[in-house]
Amino acid sequence: MKKMMSTKGMMILAVGIAMASCSKTDVFEQNQTNLSEQQKAEYVSNYVAKYGQPDANQSWDFAAAAPNASKTRAGETMVCNETRLPKFFYEHVVTDGGKFAKEIAKAEVKNWNPFVSVWLVPCAIHTTNKELQFGLSVFYNGQVTNIANGLRTEDNVWAYNLDPLYDLFTDAVFSRGRNVDTRGLVTAENAYWTAYSYNYKWTWGFLWGEWKEAGFKSFEIKTYKEITVNGRTYWCFDCTNDGDYSNLVCLAVDPVGVEDQPQPIQKRYLVEDLGSKDDFDFNDIVFDVIDDNGSQECIVRAMGGTIDFTLQIGDTEWIKSEDGVKAGFNVKTMYNTQGAIEYDKVLARFPVTGWNPETNNIKVKVKSGASENVIIEIPFPKKGDVPMILAFPAVTNWQVERESLPEGWYTIPEEISED
């Protein structure tokens, strides 16, 4: 007859089994952590080798200052703040000059609203005279406030497009966007916008000389043209009073008139998912988050990765292998990152809650390419960290597949000398 195990013995055996089980679990979890950190470390090393070590104060939220910062503060009649973004942004919002010209030619002339809040980015000018420059200013109460001054056609900073008369600026001065808010001037006398041309040799005399008011008044903006190219809105101005509205073309983001409701806050997030640790195209996941007066939603624009991921935006999660599959997507298929990319395409749209645009409380969780059991968490990067997520204004394009961000992509272009 077999002897039954004592109660004490059974307890010891149970504890032993539990300890062995915990030990294996701890080792497995530790191995997961080690592999995750190893992949991140390899990515960081490759990034630094390609782009250099980021400055300790480098922020990766390039949407923080634009376009939603243009709001009149108490006691101020006008706000005109400069916003500076890296070369990558400007290279992606300046479009084919020939396409600009065709759209401008067929667009209707519209009446100008001088009291508006808008983020303006000068993108192109059209002139046959190399000596001319074009600029925008607001004139009120005898004072001139420059919005986009110093747009000049110097040989070393100009590139010609298909139409040699339609010049696309590709360097320094166009690195300056402006948050302009003139809504506080509705009761001001002698307040108007101007779009003017002038010879560079007479810049300062024209702006500040004794004949400045007469000169600016003759170029008062009363009409303009509005076009849409690649899903973005551009305002077009006649700076020579000859009916040619292609003289100066500006990207116009989130315009708000005196009677209009505030525009929603929007950011576009570009993500590297570590599926490849030497690929920096930042198109593995591209999604916009929008806050319209407290009502929040996410729009997935592109999925260039081939591994499963979870988007965590505030309090909301969206999982590619679950929510994406239900919508007809395949986890291992890339979407909207190859060939003719549709930058306004909606792959998925869903409500979110708890998103804070100031803190960027988003996170991406991906399954490691080395092991399906390893989950890598990618939060929005802190200042100075090597980034795996970037935030841009929602009008920014992303790279095509396997086309890494260009070297020096996040540098701010140098100013052109005033000499």
Side-chain angles (χ1 to χ4, degrees):
M1 184 175 180
K2 293 183 180 179
K3 186 177 181 180
M4 297 184 64
M5 184 181 292
S6 67
T7 303
K8 181 177 181 182
M10 292 179 66
M11 291 178 62
I12 292 174
L13 178 60
V15 171
I17 293 172
M19 289 181 65
S21 176
C22 288
S23 177
K24 288 181 180 179
T25 302
D26 290 344
V27 170
F28 178 69
E29 290 178 347
Q30 184 62 48
N31 287 339
Q32 284 186 310
T33 301
N34 290 342
L35 185 55
S36 172
E37 293 306 314
Q38 178 183 335
Q39 288 188 273
K40 286 184 178 181
E42 188 176 344
Y43 173 91
V44 168
S45 177
N46 290 337
Y47 182 97
V48 171
K50 184 175 180 65
Y51 299 110
Q53 180 66 46
D55 184 272
N57 294 316
Q58 176 66 54
S59 170
W60 304 110
D61 185 352
F62 299 107
N68 305 104
S70 179
K71 305 297 177 187
T72 301
R73 294 180 289 271
E76 292 188 322
T77 57
M78 176 175 165
V79 175
C80 180
N81 297 324
E82 181 179 86
T83 55
R84 314 245 5 235
L85 288 166
K87 289 181 179 179
F88 171 78
F89 172 79
Y90 293 92
E91 291 170 356
H92 282 68
V93 299
V94 176
T95 219
D96 181 333
K99 183 178 279 189
F100 272 148
K102 292 176 183 178
E103 293 299 321
I104 293 170
K106 65 183 182 182
E108 65 174 338
V109 176
K110 301 179 67 174
N111 292 325
W112 175 252
N113 170 21
F115 308 117
V116 64
S117 169
V118 66
W119 185 49
L120 287 176
V121 181
C123 288
I125 73 171
H126 183 191
T127 177
T128 59
N129 185 345
K130 288 291 184 179
E131 295 296 320
L132 289 182
Q133 301 171 74
F134 302 112
L136 296 176
S137 288
V138 172
F139 195 99
Y140 69 99
N141 292 335
Q143 300 293 322
V144 174
T145 300
N146 295 319
I147 296 172
N149 180 36
L151 312 183
R152 65 194 78 155
T153 53
E154 294 185 4
D155 291 339
N156 63 329
V157 292
W158 282 88
Y160 295 99
N161 210 286
L162 299 177
D163 178 355
L165 299 182
Y166 206 99
D167 304 335
L168 289 184
F169 203 95
T170 59
D171 212 329
V173 171
F174 276 116
S175 69
R176 294 186 290 193
R178 302 277 179 161
N179 281 312
V180 186
D181 192 339
T182 57
R183 291 174 298 173
L185 301 179
V186 289
T187 59
E189 295 181 4
N190 194 24
Y192 53 87
W193 288 58
T194 64
Y196 53 89
S197 63
Y198 55 93
N199 185 297
Y200 178 62
K201 291 182 293 185
W202 299 100
T203 297
W204 301 114
F206 191 93
L207 291 178
W208 312 113
E210 58 185 11
W211 41 280
K212 63 181 180 181
E213 182 170 0
F216 277 111
K217 186 64 176 177
S218 65
F219 291 99
E220 178 181 355
I221 297 175
K222 295 182 179 180
T223 58
Y224 73 112
K225 287 189 174 185
E226 182 176 279
I227 62 173
T228 300
V229 177
N230 293 345
R232 290 184 287 260
T233 299
Y234 297 87
W235 287 351
C236 313
F237 301 97
D238 174 10
C239 304
T240 53
N241 286 337
D242 61 359
D244 178 5
Y245 285 86
S246 68
N247 291 153
L248 176 60
V249 182
C250 296
L251 173 72
V253 181
D254 289 354
V256 179
V258 175
E259 303 298 331
D260 296 334
Q261 296 296 315
Q263 292 282 6
I265 299 172
Q266 304 182 63
K267 288 189 180 185
R268 174 161 294 168
Y269 292 100
L270 282 59
V271 182
E272 270 299 317
D273 66 6
L274 295 186
S276 174
K277 294 171 286 298
D278 61 352
D279 173 19
F280 305 104
D281 52 24
F282 280 87
N283 69 7
D284 293 329
I285 314 166
V286 179
F287 61 98
D288 298 348
V289 187
I290 304 160
D291 186 316
D292 189 356
N293 196 30
S295 177
Q296 300 181 341
E297 69 171 349
C298 173
I299 301 176
V300 180
R301 301 289 188 184
M303 295 184 288
T306 58
I307 58 179
D308 194 14
F309 66 80
T310 298
L311 288 183
Q312 182 174 323
I313 305 165
D315 305 320
T316 306
E317 286 191 343
W318 189 89
I319 304 173
K320 186 179 183 183
S321 62
E322 296 180 12
D323 303 286
V325 168
K326 289 178 183 177
F329 299 112
N330 187 300
V331 170
K332 296 187 178 298
T333 300
M334 295 182 289
Y335 297 93
N336 207 26
T337 62
Q338 303 176 88
I341 296 175
E342 298 178 51
Y343 295 103
D344 57 352
K345 190 175 185 64
V346 177
L347 296 178
R349 185 195 298 265
F350 54 93
V352 300
T353 59
W355 175 59
N356 186 330
E358 295 184 3
T359 63
N360 294 303
N361 57 335
I362 67 166
K363 183 187 297 183
V364 176
K365 292 179 279 189
V366 298
K367 290 185 177 180
S368 165
S371 170
E372 285 287 309
N373 296 317
V374 177
I375 305 299
I376 301 175
E377 292 196 356
I378 305 172
F380 192 83
K382 298 177 182 178
K383 287 185 178 180
D385 285 354
V386 167
M388 298 177 195
I389 304 178
L390 307 169
F392 275 98
V395 292
T396 311
N397 290 357
W398 54 93
Q399 302 289 82
V400 297
E401 193 60 39
R402 298 297 298 181
E403 183 179 296
S404 293
L405 298 178
E407 292 188 17
W409 67 269
Y410 59 89
T411 58
I412 302 297
E414 297 293 329
E415 298 287 355
I416 291 179
S417 170
E418 295 292 344
D419 297 334

